[in-house]
Amino acid sequence: QVQLVESGGGSVQSGGSLRLSCANSGFTYGVACMGWFRQSPGKKREGVATIDRDGAASYKDYVKGRFTISQDHANNTLYLQMNNLKHEDTAMYYCAADRQWCSWYVEFPYWGQGTQVTVSS
């Protein structure tokens, strides 16, 4: 059974840092891609970063230079290091996985429950 469990969210002041983790299990043959997405109240869900099985990362412009996505294959864990956080980064952050594709234009089929990040200005 596929499972994605996020952790590491919390409250931080503007300019601060947080590291999110996503423990994944049940992918017997691995995944092609994992990603982080976020959603604020009243807004559509938006992409943050993706990483493929070989470690190639892709970032949305609004987090480039501040966020870093990484993965630990041995421990089946995905990370998102978030530095220089801004108030507009406040959102529920979700981890997602796809067995076949790694594209912003293909809906990820597997999702975690999310972890809340709140940045006070």
Side-chain angles (χ1 to χ4, degrees):
Q1 182 178 353
V2 169
Q3 193 171 20
L4 300 172
V5 180
E6 302 95 335
S7 61
S11 297
V12 65
Q13 288 192 328
S14 181
S17 298
L18 283 173
R19 189 175 83 154
L20 306 184
S21 299
C22 173
N24 62 89
S25 60
F27 294 101
T28 305
Y29 301 104
V31 296
C33 190
M34 296 200 71
W36 288 99
F37 294 77
R38 68 187 186 186
Q39 188 168 20
S40 304
K43 292 187 177 181
K44 290 177 63 176
R45 187 178 64 203
E46 61 182 12
V48 174
T50 63
I51 188 167
D52 69 15
R53 60 163 56 97
D54 296 322
S58 176
Y59 298 92
K60 289 296 189 178
D61 286 346
Y62 36 80
V63 303
K64 273 182 184 175
R66 300 188 298 122
F67 291 11
T68 303
I69 189 171
S70 62
Q71 58 192 351
D72 180 345
H73 289 297
N75 292 306
N76 295 323
T77 303
L78 177 72
Y79 300 101
L80 184 69
Q81 178 65 44
M82 305 186 295
N83 298 328
N84 191 21
L85 282 159
K86 303 176 182 180
H87 177 66
E88 50 264 43
D89 295 318
T90 296
M92 184 70 79
Y93 283 71
Y94 298 91
C95 165
D98 193 321
R99 283 193 169 114
Q100 289 185 290
W101 308 106
C102 202
S103 169
W104 291 114
Y105 305 104
V106 178
E107 177 73 14
F108 281 67
Y110 303 103
W111 293 84
Q113 293 301 306
T115 185
Q116 177 68 36
V117 171
T118 302
V119 184
S120 57
S121 54

